[in-house]
Amino acid sequence: MTQTDAPTAAELSDLVAGFRACTLPKERWTHEAHLWTTLVTVRELGPEGALATMRSGIDRYNRSLGNTSGYHDTLTITWVAIVAAYSAERSVESTLDVARTLPGDIGQRDRPLQYYTRERMMSDAARAGWVPPDVTPLPITFAALE
């Protein structure tokens, strides 16, 4: 699977398992892989559970690769909100079907800039912890952040 290919069910399962076990090769941890892993986690745990799991999981995975400065908390929260809202709109579709459309429909890398100015999103504060949007509210809210 390349970063632009739609995953098969087995590839999606392997991707998520490799991420969770911190055995996924770094070159496979693409933007699309982040989105697909978030989708599967949202479908399994709901938005609140997915938020907690992705926040800790991405940081743990990055650290397993020796990356201690790559985690961006506000960006993670924003993507979980975007993916959770997209998933909810397609609740009757299978996870695999949603995974196949997700990158093209809502996965543009600059999508968080619908909610944040670039300056705010790229700030040290946003990288280190939750910073609320300054353009428009996220498509869903999280009790854990209130």
Side-chain angles (χ1 to χ4, degrees):
M1 169 176 69
T2 67
Q3 69 180 25
T4 57
D5 290 338
T8 65
E11 289 169 336
L12 189 59
S13 179
D14 289 348
L15 172 74
V16 173
F19 165 75
R20 290 177 178 167
C22 295
T23 59
L24 184 71
K26 182 179 181 178
E27 62 273 6
R28 289 195 53 212
W29 189 232
T30 63
H31 176 66
E32 291 79 11
H34 277 77
L35 297 175
W36 290 326
T37 301
T38 300
L39 172 66
V40 169
T41 306
V42 163
R43 290 275 174 117
E44 289 176 349
L45 304 175
E48 293 284 342
L51 177 61
T53 298
M54 294 307 295
R55 285 173 103 180
S56 62
I58 292 171
D59 188 49
R60 185 179 64 251
Y61 177 76
N62 286 349
R63 289 177 185 279
S64 79
L65 298 174
N67 180 351
T68 59
S69 63
Y71 179 73
H72 191 303
D73 197 46
T74 299
L75 197 55
T76 298
I77 294 163
T78 301
W79 276 114
V80 172
I82 292 168
V83 170
Y86 185 78
S87 177
E89 292 169 3
R90 288 151 184 79
S91 61
V92 298
E93 296 177 43
S94 74
T95 299
L96 186 59
D97 286 341
V98 176
R100 289 178 172 153
T101 60
L102 190 151
D105 285 356
I106 59 136
Q108 303 78 21
R109 290 178 184 268
D110 64 350
R111 185 87 170 184
L113 298 180
Q114 290 183 346
Y115 307 97
Y116 289 88
T117 58
R118 185 174 302 279
E119 178 180 64
R120 186 172 181 105
M121 179 55 81
M122 295 302 135
S123 70
D124 290 341
R127 182 173 288 283
W130 165 241
V131 174
D134 60 342
V135 174
T136 192
L138 293 178
I140 67 166
T141 58
F142 297 100
L145 302 176
E146 295 176 354

